[in-house]
Amino acid sequence: MNINEILDKTHPINASSKIKLCECFEEVSLQKNHLIIRSNKVEKNIYFIKKGIARTFSNFDDNEVTIAFGEEGDTIISLKSYILYQKGYENIELLEDCELYKISVTKLQNLFSTDIDIANWGRKFAEQELIKAEQRFISNQLGTATERYLELIKKHPTLLQRVSLGLIASYLGITQVSLSRIRANIT
Amino acid sequence: MNINEILDKTHPINASSKIKLCECFEEVSLQKNHLIIRSNKVEKNIYFIKKGIARTFSNFDDNEVTIAFGEEGDTIISLKSYILYQKGYENIELLEDCELYKISVTKLQNLFSTDIDIANWGRKFAEQELIKAEQRFISNQLGTATERYLELIKKHPTLLQRVSLGLIASYLGITQVSLSRIRANIT
DNA sequence: TTCGTTTTTTATCATTTGATAAATTATTCT
DNA sequence: AGAATAATTTATCAAATGATAAAAAACGAA
């Protein structure tokens, strides 16, 4: 998925603004297992996934929580760095070799404060992430782990081929062994 | 909390833009138990809470999920209406008599597309809600219900005085009876 | 291929939470 | 105050998930 499609997916931008914005992107290729964002540091860039898949996770005490999987078109981002210029809580690792579009948060912020079209693109970007986050929260409150698992593979049918069950379990908020039991009781 | 403080809390706006924005607000007083936003309709307004407390909840099949409590300075909003102009999933009820600042989504959208300062305010607003949503999600994945309860009353110490335990339980994703048992095992 | 490592499954027992019902306490209304 | 209603607690049993261990299957590197 190229940068044009990725940007338009969120919100169309007029031609001249889009050129300005696109000039700030740099393409990078990184290998599987690369830890592209580390927690407890201010991350200077955000990335959009052209090709590949990434996992956002966070460690607290002994627990590791998988916050999200990012596929083609999705963003690799430390929210606290991007929004508050503070140390983030997210680690992000690449689960496959990836091609990414990279942009510096500073450059993007400059465009936000000078170009209204880009500012509104940024607004739409945050708004759409917000809806996703709230719906994810609701679905977690609502259903059993079984329902959440079925919902996940229905919504992201290719995920099972790309990601190990251990990581999916941690995304669902259960142990890997529980997920295995759940799967055994379905099919 | 007045509208100036509420707006500044999210992101400062220059004087002339703020005047433009503030002109669009209308103050309304509504009574306890009023259902200010109903699910499955496109809500035309959003509200900021000057005084009082509200609860956002959603019904699916037989389950009711409390998504959020809104206190002074917080927003009463149907995200899908605000962001996608679509029917929302949220019901919002007032848990006390409330004084609110009301603004039409259409007017706000017009300001977003014409005033870069207001557009960036709207961006910051969504971004800050996004961080809250993600952190809420993480804390739900991480801890036991007991830990979440303790965290909640630590973060919002007045909530227990304003909201019944049944609603707090539904916010924590457990039954009211379970919360009662948890409380008995703490003190 | 083959050996070693990782992932997944299966099994057992403990813990947490849910569902239901009944008792107690608090609140509201007249 | 007293009655009615709502909120909270307590108790019991069932269901879901966690923790741990061990076996089986899949995967990867030499």
Side-chain angles (χ1 to χ4, degrees), chain B residues 40 42 44 47 72 82 121 127 130 138 140-141 152 179 182 185:
Chain B
N40 283 106
V42 180
K44 303 245 182 298
Y47 302 83
E72 284 77 11
Y82 173 66
W121 179 89
E127 287 173 354
L130 174 57
I138 292 172
N140 254 52
Q141 292 291 70
L152 180 67
L179 178 55
I182 284 169
N185 291 334

Side-chain angles (χ1 to χ4, degrees), chain B residues 55-149:
Chain B
R55 178 178 78 108
T56 304
F57 61 101
S58 215
N59 293 102
F60 298 91
D61 335 303
D62 267 348
N63 283 327
E64 179 175 299
V65 180
T66 291
I67 301 170
F69 296 108
E71 298 186 86
E72 284 77 11
D74 290 334
T75 318
I76 294 177
I77 187 170
S78 158
L79 281 189
K80 273 200 146 178
S81 301
Y82 173 66
I83 296 172
L84 303 172
Y85 321 119
Q86 291 172 10
K87 291 177 183 175
Y89 46 81
E90 299 105 332
N91 297 289
I92 306 187
E93 64 177 4
L94 306 182
L95 303 179
E96 297 173 355
D97 293 350
C98 282
E99 294 164 39
L100 306 172
Y101 297 102
K102 171 181 175 179
I103 186 169
S104 115
V105 171
T106 313
K107 281 187 189 169
L108 191 51
Q109 295 293 341
N110 285 337
L111 290 174
F112 285 158
S113 56
T114 55
D115 185 311
I116 190 171
D117 242 56
I118 298 177
N120 276 307
W121 179 89
R123 179 174 61 83
K124 280 290 169 194
F125 171 71
E127 287 173 354
Q128 285 166 24
E129 293 294 316
L130 174 57
I131 284 206
K132 277 195 259 173
E134 187 165 291
Q135 290 186 335
R136 170 107 188 275
F137 173 78
I138 292 172
S139 108
N140 254 52
Q141 292 291 70
L142 265 179
T144 62
T146 306
E147 290 166 334
R148 274 176 280 145
Y149 171 71

Side-chain angles (χ1 to χ4, degrees), chain B residues 145 175 178 181:
Chain B
T175 62
S178 286
R181 174 168 40 195

Side-chain angles (χ1 to χ4, degrees), chain A residues 65-126:
Chain A
V65 180
T66 292
I67 301 170
F69 296 109
E71 298 186 87
E72 283 78 9
D74 291 333
T75 317
I76 293 177
I77 187 169
S78 158
L79 281 188
K80 273 198 146 178
S81 301
Y82 173 65
I83 296 173
L84 303 172
Y85 320 119
Q86 291 173 8
K87 291 177 183 175
Y89 45 83
E90 300 104 331
N91 297 289
I92 306 186
E93 65 176 3
L94 306 182
L95 303 179
E96 299 173 353
D97 293 350
C98 283
E99 294 165 38
L100 306 172
Y101 296 103
K102 171 181 175 178
I103 186 169
S104 115
V105 171
T106 313
K107 281 188 188 170
L108 191 50
Q109 296 292 341
N110 285 337
L111 289 173
F112 285 158
S113 56
T114 54
D115 184 311
I116 191 171
D117 242 57
I118 297 176
N120 275 305
W121 178 89
R123 179 174 60 83
K124 281 289 168 193
F125 171 70

Side-chain angles (χ1 to χ4, degrees), chain B residues 20-33:
Chain B
K20 259 197 288 179
L21 178 52
C22 284
E23 278 171 353
C24 299
F25 281 100
E26 181 190 341
E27 274 197 62
V28 294
S29 290
L30 289 167
Q31 287 200 310
K32 178 171 176 168
N33 293 326

